[in-house]
Amino acid sequence: MKQKKTFIVRGMDCASCALTIERALKGMPELESANVNYATEKAVVESKTDIDSQKIQSFVKEKTGYELVEEQMVNMRMSGDMGEHDHAKMLKEEEIKKLWKKFFAGAVLSAAIIILSLPDYFPFISDFLPKSARFFLLMVLATPVEFIVGRQFWVSSWASLKRFNVSMDTLVVLGTGVAYFSGLAVTFLEIAQIKSQIKLDVYFDVAAVVTTLVILGKYLEAKAKGSASEAIKKLLKLQAKTAHLLHEGRHEMEVPIEKVVSGDVLLVKPGEKIPVDGIIIEGVATLDESMVTGESLPVDKKEGGAVIGATINKTSSFKMKATKVGQDSFLSQIVAMVEAAQASRAPIQKMADLVVSYFVPIVLFISVATFAAWMVLGTDSAFSFALVNSIAVLVVACPCAMGLATPTSIMVGTGKAAEHGVIIRDAEALELAGKVNAVVLDKTGTITKGEPSVTDVIAFLENGENKVVRYAASLEKLSEHPIAQSIVAYAASLGSFSSHPLDRAVKAAVEKARLYAVTNFKAIPGQGIEGDVAAEKGNKKLYFGNAALMQSKKIDISARQELIERLESDGKTLLLLADAQTLLGIIAVADTIKPTAKEAVQRLRSLGLEVWLITGDNERTARAIAQIVGIDKVMARVLPQDKAEKIKELQVSGKMVAMVGDGINDAPALTQADVGIAIGTGTDIAIESADITLVSGDPLGIANAVVISRKTLANIKQNLFWAFFYNILLIPIAAGVFWPVWGILLNPIFAGAAMAFSSLSVVLNSLRLKKL
């Protein structure tokens, strides 16, 4: 089993930093995979063996100079504030406070530097300060901005330089450093009254203001990225803080939520949040599950019904038994899945990563070429002109916007999907869901509720319907299949039509029912069952299943064909009971179609998707169900083991396929599909096999997943376009390409502002997804 660990990366200022750390991690032979996400500022590593956190931290520190802090939720309370033990949150808040303090100090000093740098606009300055004194004072004010406010850039650049790497911090340091040290040289020349043939000036204002603006950009970016991950914070605030524990099943005690353990009996009162996951053992209730599932309508629950922690009890009190607590709870698993998706990398990001990996060296080359070109082409002030333009190139070129383009959209998109009850496993699934052009819906549990009930019993033997039901229930009593349970429930409830075979009364009646003993029981996949039933007149070999079973056993059913076709045309599933020669009876079972199934199909078709229904039912029954919900493409009589093959056939024909299902037999098909979508009310194995889980089981969630995916993908493309367009446009302007013709230049101060706000614009554009 793979081991997985997550680390918070401290001091990472740009996308190229993330790539540097990722390359270092991938160089560790112990690790199977590594992913460093600039937007979440986390590194996720996987290995087939135990992971030595200390070794990884030391290795990254040595190779890159960056610090990794293992992410731990110490004594995580899952309470409304969650905060005091959230290490990641504390580190982020500490970083944001530090950035604000740096910006404030830098802004105050920069304001003074700008005033002192403009004696033509403030004549009183020249009256009090000679030129040499003014330059010296500018140097004194600029020094703390350059080396204290901007310290993180120098530290990061030095660490990169020692390892022959360059990053965005390198560009900032070179740009502001050249401005600062050239000003330093000019200041000492002025103080020493050494005249130069080259016209010289100081650019302390460039060094200070650019450093301050970049820090401002980092501060705003950090705040915006925090907003992008708001969905997880909302989820974490849902959990109740206390629970009413029934000690020895009788004495009520209010205890903190972290004290509840699996097996405890709890009392939930009207208006309270359900403290943990569990099952109702006494009473009934109507629950508001919208905050977890996205389902707006209240849900009725009774004894034996599963309840989810953090949902709200709207009506009467009930007793429940805790089944999953802490990290095992449903809510915790959702949080873990959303966090994993936000930290993952989408395929579309590969292009941005490739550009970023070459970007900084190219910018350095352009900056040097700019300086050289203007030194050759310039006039008597060529040095100053060349210096300012080369600094502008260094400052304006920032790969951060490219690095943020994809992950910030994914953070917001996956978070928004979670609010709608759509849990997306990773960024690749999010991207692919928007590209699918065919959706295959499994009938049971997706289109229908998966709670079939008996609708008709037709007998062709003496003693009529009761005997047919009794024979059938005897054969089916050990089966876990929903149809089998519905037949046993019907037999146990003495003919009352019940779609709730797990009712306590029904289960008790099953135990008392006079069912026959069965030997030589055999299940025939995709067809039915057979067994020797110990009836009153001795053992009797009976077969119970579909028409395919009758055909394989050479039992003639042609005399009843018209009746069979009529029942199947009503969308009912028929189970035929026969002995070795004769058809003894028919039991018709119907599954209730989900109320939103038809609307879901309409929405999928309106999105331009080809919709298929796949089922093990015969063609006639399948067509009847499909017609009710508006599906015109049907795959019927598909055995469980053949579902994946049907998906593959669609893929071979050029379709990008999403498969939706909820059962164990859907797992291979979910895995085969380009995107597997599991109904959250289904089995754990189906959910594990899927890329996307619909928590509430509402088929409308399929369309929601596709829409969110398409919107997110469009948002990523917008971000990438503006990130690339920004650099393609502004780097030539900064280099002075348009100066000879149109007189357009980019002052380094404005270049710094543009660089700072380019990253912010990408994050803000991503936040628009929160309106979905």
Side-chain angles (χ1 to χ4, degrees):
M1 184 176 177
K2 285 185 179 180
Q3 300 290 319
K4 188 176 186 177
K5 284 196 177 181
T6 302
F7 297 89
I8 302 158
V9 185
R10 305 198 71 177
M12 184 166 63
D13 289 319
C14 66
S16 58
C17 304
L19 290 176
T20 299
I21 299 166
E22 188 172 295
R23 278 194 294 266
L25 287 169
K26 286 180 176 177
M28 291 189 74
E30 300 96 327
L31 299 180
E32 193 172 77
S33 68
N35 176 34
V36 180
N37 190 308
Y38 173 49
T40 60
E41 297 176 1
K42 291 179 182 179
V44 180
V45 298
E46 285 187 337
S47 174
K48 288 184 178 178
T49 58
D50 288 339
I51 298 174
D52 186 340
S53 301
Q54 190 64 45
K55 186 176 180 181
I56 290 173
Q57 290 166 319
S58 300
F59 182 84
V60 170
K61 184 74 174 176
E62 180 186 344
K63 292 291 183 183
T64 68
Y66 293 97
E67 181 183 355
L68 299 188
V69 180
E70 187 173 355
E71 184 179 58
Q72 292 177 334
M73 296 292 188
V74 183
N75 299 323
M76 184 165 66
R77 289 173 49 191
M78 293 288 287
S79 65
D81 117 303
M82 266 295 295
E84 67 249 35
H85 297 300
D86 187 339
H87 199 185
K89 183 179 178 182
M90 289 192 294
L91 288 174
K92 176 53 66 178
E93 288 177 348
E94 178 189 338
E95 180 196 351
I96 290 173
K97 286 179 182 176
K98 190 180 291 185
L99 286 171
W100 173 253
K101 289 177 181 177
K102 284 184 176 183
F103 165 69
F104 184 79
V108 171
L109 292 172
S110 294
I113 290 169
I114 289 173
I115 292 171
L116 288 172
S117 299
L118 301 172
D120 293 341
Y121 293 92
F122 303 99
F124 67 89
I125 294 174
S126 300
D127 297 337
F128 292 98
L129 290 172
K131 193 174 185 180
S132 59
R134 182 169 62 86
F135 282 6
F136 182 78
L137 185 55
L138 282 170
M139 180 195 72
V140 170
L141 293 172
T143 300
V145 179
E146 181 69 23
F147 298 109
I148 298 178
V149 173
R151 181 178 182 275
Q152 65 192 69
F153 305 125
W154 286 92
V155 171
S156 174
S157 297
W158 175 243
S160 297
L161 186 61
K162 287 192 295 185
R163 292 159 186 85
F164 303 101
N165 292 323
V166 288
S167 65
M168 173 273 215
D169 292 337
T170 309
L171 300 182
V172 173
V173 162
L174 284 174
T176 61
V178 167
Y180 175 83
F181 285 108
S182 66
L184 197 66
V186 171
T187 299
F188 282 113
L189 289 174
E190 185 66 34
I191 292 172
Q193 295 186 344
I194 299 173
K195 301 299 180 184
S196 172
Q197 294 182 349
I198 303 174
K199 185 179 179 181
L200 299 172
D201 203 348
V202 294
Y203 298 102
F204 290 120
D205 54 340
V206 171
V209 175
V210 167
T211 299
T212 302
L213 285 173
V214 175
I215 289 292
L216 173 62
K218 293 294 175 189
Y219 169 76
L220 295 174
E221 185 184 303
K223 292 280 284 185
K225 284 195 290 188
S227 180
S229 59
E230 234 173 48
I232 286 187
K233 294 175 187 174
K234 286 181 181 178
L235 288 171
L236 293 173
K237 289 178 180 178
L238 292 177
Q239 192 84 1
K241 294 181 180 179
T242 60
H244 300 292
L245 174 67
L246 295 178
H247 183 58
E248 297 180 348
R250 296 190 303 274
H251 309 298
E252 183 182 334
M253 300 167 53
E254 186 168 326
V255 298
I257 195 71
E258 61 266 23
K259 297 291 186 183
V260 177
V261 297
S262 182
D264 281 348
V265 176
L266 308 173
L267 177 67
V268 183
K269 300 176 182 179
E272 291 184 341
K273 287 182 178 180
I274 294 172
V276 295
D277 297 358
I279 56 172
I280 296 177
I281 58 174
E282 185 180 314
V284 295
T286 300
L287 305 182
D288 177 1
E289 297 185 335
S290 60
M291 64 286 298
V292 174
T293 66
E295 172 60 59
S296 58
L297 296 176
V299 180
D300 293 329
K301 299 281 183 175
K302 55 185 177 178
E303 288 179 26
V307 294
I308 303 171
T311 56
I312 298 173
N313 177 18
K314 302 287 285 185
T315 53
S316 55
S317 297
F318 63 86
K319 292 180 183 178
M320 61 170 284
K321 182 168 78 173
T323 56
K324 292 182 179 179
V325 299
Q327 297 301 303
D328 296 326
S329 71
F330 184 75
L331 186 61
S332 292
Q333 290 174 28
I334 287 178
V335 170
M337 289 178 71
V338 174
E339 283 186 324
Q342 292 183 341
S344 62
R345 177 176 281 129
I348 196 172
Q349 194 173 339
K350 291 177 182 176
M351 177 181 63
D353 289 345
L354 182 65
V355 172
V356 168
S357 65
Y358 292 104
F359 188 80
V360 175
I362 291 172
V363 170
L364 289 173
F365 173 78
I366 293 173
S367 178
V368 172
T370 298
F371 182 84
W374 286 115
M375 281 298 292
V376 173
L377 301 173
T379 58
D380 57 338
S381 58
F383 178 79
S384 295
F385 193 82
L387 183 67
V388 169
N389 286 344
S390 62
I391 291 173
V393 170
L394 290 171
V395 171
V396 80
C398 175
C400 293
M402 291 181 231
L404 287 167
T406 302
T408 48
S409 294
I410 288 168
M411 284 174 70
V412 182
T414 52
K416 195 64 186 177
E419 290 180 21
H420 288 282
V422 178
I423 308 303
I424 298 172
R425 186 174 295 278
D426 56 35
E428 184 174 5
L430 179 66
E431 181 176 333
L432 290 176
K435 297 179 179 179
V436 298
N437 50 28
V439 178
V440 179
L441 307 174
D442 184 58
K443 189 200 78 172
T444 305
T446 302
I447 295 298
T448 64
K449 291 183 177 179
E451 296 178 354
S453 59
V454 174
T455 59
D456 302 89
V457 179
I458 300 152
F460 309 122
L461 75 167
E462 293 180 12
N463 298 323
E465 298 176 1
N466 284 344
K467 182 156 280 192
V468 169
V469 172
R470 197 170 170 193
Y471 280 149
S474 298
L475 286 166
E476 295 279 27
K477 64 185 175 183
L478 298 177
S479 174
E480 293 296 323
H481 194 283
I483 290 179
Q485 290 185 343
S486 70
I487 292 169
V488 175
Y490 180 80
S493 57
L494 305 177
S496 299
F497 293 96
S498 173
S499 62
H500 300 289
L502 297 181
D503 282 2
R504 178 176 289 187
V506 173
K507 290 178 75 174
V510 168
E511 294 170 5
K512 296 177 182 177
R514 294 177 57 199
L515 301 182
Y516 299 117
V518 176
T519 55
N520 299 321
F521 178 86
K522 182 182 177 183
I524 306 164
Q527 296 186 6
I529 55 178
E530 65 176 63
D532 294 332
V533 178
E536 292 90 345
K537 297 180 180 180
N539 280 0
K540 192 171 188 177
K541 173 69 78 174
L542 293 178
Y543 304 97
F544 189 54
N546 57 26
L549 178 62
M550 300 298 109
Q551 185 178 358
S552 69
K553 299 302 177 182
K554 297 182 170 53
I555 298 167
D556 185 14
I557 60 172
S558 58
R560 310 295 179 182
Q561 194 61 40
E562 184 179 342
L563 173 62
I564 289 171
E565 290 180 6
R566 179 170 57 80
L567 290 169
E568 288 179 342
S569 296
D570 292 334
K572 297 173 181 178
T573 298
L574 302 190
L575 296 165
L576 312 178
L577 179 70
D579 58 20
Q581 295 86 28
T582 312
L583 183 65
L584 304 178
I586 300 173
I587 296 180
V589 178
D591 195 356
T592 308
I593 293 174
K594 290 184 178 180
T596 57
K598 186 173 182 178
E599 183 186 351
V601 171
Q602 289 174 342
R603 282 193 64 191
L604 290 171
R605 296 183 71 169
S606 70
L607 291 170
L609 300 174
E610 190 177 280
V611 185
W612 289 77
L613 179 70
I614 190 168
T615 178
D617 287 344
N618 63 71
E619 187 79 24
R620 195 176 295 108
T621 301
R623 289 282 176 192
I625 297 292
Q627 186 175 7
I628 293 171
V629 297
I631 298 175
D632 56 4
K633 298 181 184 299
V634 176
M635 290 181 275
R637 290 195 183 281
V638 181
L639 297 176
Q641 62 268 28
D642 295 334
K643 288 183 179 180
E645 197 59 39
K646 291 291 184 181
I647 299 296
K648 194 181 293 184
E649 288 175 12
L650 286 175
Q651 291 171 323
V652 169
S653 70
K655 302 292 182 185
M656 182 167 278
V657 183
M659 166 71 191
V660 189
D662 79 330
I664 292 174
N665 56 28
D666 297 325
L670 291 171
T671 304
Q672 174 62 42
D674 297 287
V675 179
I677 302 177
I679 297 296
T681 51
T683 62
D684 289 343
I685 191 169
I687 294 170
E688 283 296 316
S689 305
D691 302 300
I692 296 172
T693 300
L694 308 180
V695 177
S696 69
D698 187 343
L700 281 173
I702 307 166
N704 289 338
V706 172
V707 169
I708 290 171
S709 173
R710 289 183 178 180
K711 295 283 188 183
T712 303
L713 198 57
N715 192 269
I716 289 171
K717 290 177 179 177
Q718 291 165 6
N719 287 345
L720 287 172
F721 170 79
W722 287 112
F724 284 119
F725 177 77
Y726 158 84
N727 282 292
I728 291 169
L729 176 67
L730 292 187
I731 288 177
I733 293 176
V737 170
F738 303 116
W739 171 254
V741 180
W742 294 302
I744 298 175
L745 279 178
L746 187 64
N747 185 286
I749 291 176
F750 293 116
M755 186 204 76
F757 286 98
S758 65
S759 298
L760 183 64
S761 66
V762 164
V763 178
L764 292 176
N765 185 52
S766 299
L767 290 176
R768 292 192 306 112
L769 290 170
K770 294 174 76 172
K771 297 179 181 179
L772 288 177

